[in-house]
Amino acid sequence: MVIDVERLLMEMYEADTGNCFDDPSLGRLFDRPVVRIADARDPWFAKFKELIGEFYWTPQEALDLVATDTQARSVISWSLPISSVAREANAGETQIPARSWAYVRTFGEKFVTRLRHGMEERLRDLGFATLAPAVAKQNEVSEHPGIGLSSCWSERHTAMVAGLGTFGISGGLITINGIAHRLGSVVTEASIPSTPRPYGDDPFAWCLRMSRGTCGTCIQRCPAGSIGQTVHERDKNACRAQLFDVVAPQGKELFGWEGAYGCGLCQTAVPCEDRNPTD
Ligand code: B12
Ligand code: SF4
Ligand code: SF4
């Protein structure tokens, strides 16, 4: 059976009325998604257990949570580029995210999760065991020695294996549409041809700092000093404190709703905001 996963995702993307701002004149939260497929047996997934920790799931371990004696064959990963409205507004900020960026963080993530569950449902209806590990009830985001705050399933690592893009020094994933986007993924029993990785096995190829020693704009943009001169000097707790201790307490008053508001200054007004800057 040939499964057109791009069409499945696009149908949900078009049908969901939640992909827009509370002010309709601002348009959509996200531009059209880009979809890529990883082979669930790609050696990178086993390597992540070594790099991140034993708690981190391979695609097979993730699928085992919902189906026994089933082989995980493919991992579908997609990126939803954040609209120019939110990007441009955030690019003008230096401390606190723009309201439209915060809106995408709170309500756009709900939209991404509806796509995750929608993809699970559609593939299960076709007879294939499927799971969106990032939103599985067994998943926990917790502190791990040497790694910091981590989930059992990283959307960015998954996207890197599927060919969507590479990490930047800031920690964000740089895709063909840049670093300002949100990601979703599902692991499935369905066998779907995997897509090539244009950057081979170099996880940092599309970051100017990591590949050419230039740029570093995101380091200057971060109001919390979270991004170091090298990838090993990143202070994740400084980012978390900025989001939870500085932005969050002001969010309700500034923006008008209770939620997670993000920050994303390192993803806007940077050369990799909406493109692969090494192209
Ligand atoms: C926990 C979490 C946070 C925490 C901590 C994040 C962190 N780990 O640093 C906090 C609250 C601070 C946070 C902040 C933000 N987050 Co957040 N967050 C997550 C969440 C839920 C889990 C991330 C995770 O556990 N990753 C696993 C760990 C191991 O990964 P990591 O620490 O980032 O990994 C780094 C190292 O491994 C390093 N590395 C070092 N050496 C090597 C060597 C090799 C070989 C490799 C491969 C990697 C590598 O590269 C990685 C990137 O730096 C994900 C959703 C998900 N389930 O994936 C969203 C997610 C990562 N967040 C996202 C976003 C957008 C943000 C913010 C911009 C907030 C906002 N919306 O405004 C900021 C950006 C911070 C930053 N500098 O990137 C997006 C990222 C999309 C993108 N464009 O890249 C995600 C994927 C959510 C989504 N649905 O799209 N986040
Ligand atoms: S702003 Fe420059 S240094 Fe930072 S992630 Fe983007 S390309 Fe890399
Ligand atoms: S999200 Fe904000 S605080 Fe976190 S690294 Fe990016 S700029 Fe810094």
Side-chain angles (χ1 to χ4, degrees), residues 101 109 151 153 155-156 170-171 173 179 183 234 236 263:
W101 183 275
E109 181 59 13
S151 159
W153 184 260
E155 299 285 22
R156 297 196 276 216
S170 67
L173 192 92
I179 199 165
L183 295 161
R234 204 173 125 219
K236 287 190 208 173
C263 164

Side-chain angles (χ1 to χ4, degrees), residues 170 218 221-227 234 238-240 242-243 262-267:
S170 67
C218 55
R221 281 281 286 157
C222 177
S226 163
I227 307 166
R234 204 173 125 219
C239 173
R240 183 165 47 161
Q242 177 71 13
L243 272 60
C263 164
L265 298 185
C266 56
Q267 303 193 342

Side-chain angles (χ1 to χ4, degrees), residues 8-268:
L8 289 181
L9 195 70
M10 275 313 294
E11 280 171 5
M12 291 187 277
Y13 169 86
E14 295 289 359
D16 193 310
T17 53
N19 182 24
C20 56
F21 289 98
D22 49 353
D23 172 357
S25 72
L26 298 181
R28 285 178 161 168
L29 308 182
F30 297 109
D31 296 339
R32 290 165 65 94
V34 182
V35 189
R36 296 287 184 267
I37 315 293
D39 185 326
R41 289 145 301 183
D42 192 296
W44 268 112
F45 291 115
K47 214 161 161 184
F48 292 153
K49 275 186 99 71
E50 282 167 40
L51 288 168
I52 300 173
E54 195 44 44
F55 67 91
Y56 191 80
W57 296 333
T58 61
Q60 186 63 59
E61 287 167 336
L63 198 63
D64 285 346
L65 299 169
V66 289
T68 44
D69 297 330
T70 307
Q71 201 187 338
R73 295 195 174 85
S74 311
V75 185
I76 305 166
S77 175
W78 61 87
S79 152
L80 286 150
I82 296 178
S83 74
S84 56
V85 164
R87 285 191 284 105
E88 280 163 22
N90 218 44
E93 298 296 336
T94 58
Q95 299 295 322
I96 300 287
R99 185 182 188 278
S100 49
W101 183 275
Y103 195 90
V104 174
R105 170 61 188 89
T106 304
F107 300 102
E109 181 59 13
K110 294 184 198 298
F111 172 70
V112 179
T113 291
R114 288 197 295 278
L115 296 185
R116 289 172 172 129
H117 289 313
M119 196 58 109
E120 283 179 331
E121 215 176 287
R122 277 159 182 76
L123 291 170
R124 284 176 189 164
D125 286 351
L126 291 171
F128 302 107
T130 302
L131 180 75
V135 289
K137 62 177 188 303
Q138 297 89 340
N139 188 15
E140 277 179 9
V141 178
S142 48
E143 201 61 43
H144 295 274
I147 296 289
L149 203 56
S150 183
S151 159
C152 302
W153 184 260
S154 164
E155 299 285 22
R156 297 196 276 216
H157 288 73
T158 304
M160 192 274 283
V161 182
L164 274 171
T166 83
F167 290 101
I169 197 171
S170 67
L173 192 92
I174 304 172
T175 71
I176 50 169
N177 294 314
I179 199 165
H181 61 91
R182 297 193 73 81
L183 295 161
S185 66
V186 295
V187 177
T188 181
E189 182 190 9
S191 182
I192 304 162
S194 49
T195 41
R197 275 195 294 273
Y199 38 83
D201 280 329
D202 181 352
F204 294 99
W206 291 356
C207 171
L208 291 170
R209 182 75 172 194
M210 297 297 287
S211 63
R212 297 181 186 169
T214 60
C215 193
T217 314
C218 55
I219 305 171
Q220 313 303 326
R221 281 281 286 157
C222 177
S226 163
I227 307 166
Q229 295 293 328
T230 68
V231 76
H232 304 293
E233 289 169 70
R234 204 173 125 219
D235 180 355
K236 287 190 208 173
N237 285 334
C239 173
R240 183 165 47 161
Q242 177 71 13
L243 272 60
F244 296 162
D245 304 340
V246 178
V247 179
Q250 312 176 52
K252 176 87 195 317
E253 200 180 325
L254 285 175
F255 307 130
W257 68 86
E258 267 323 328
Y261 310 103
C263 164
L265 298 185
C266 56
Q267 303 193 342
T268 47

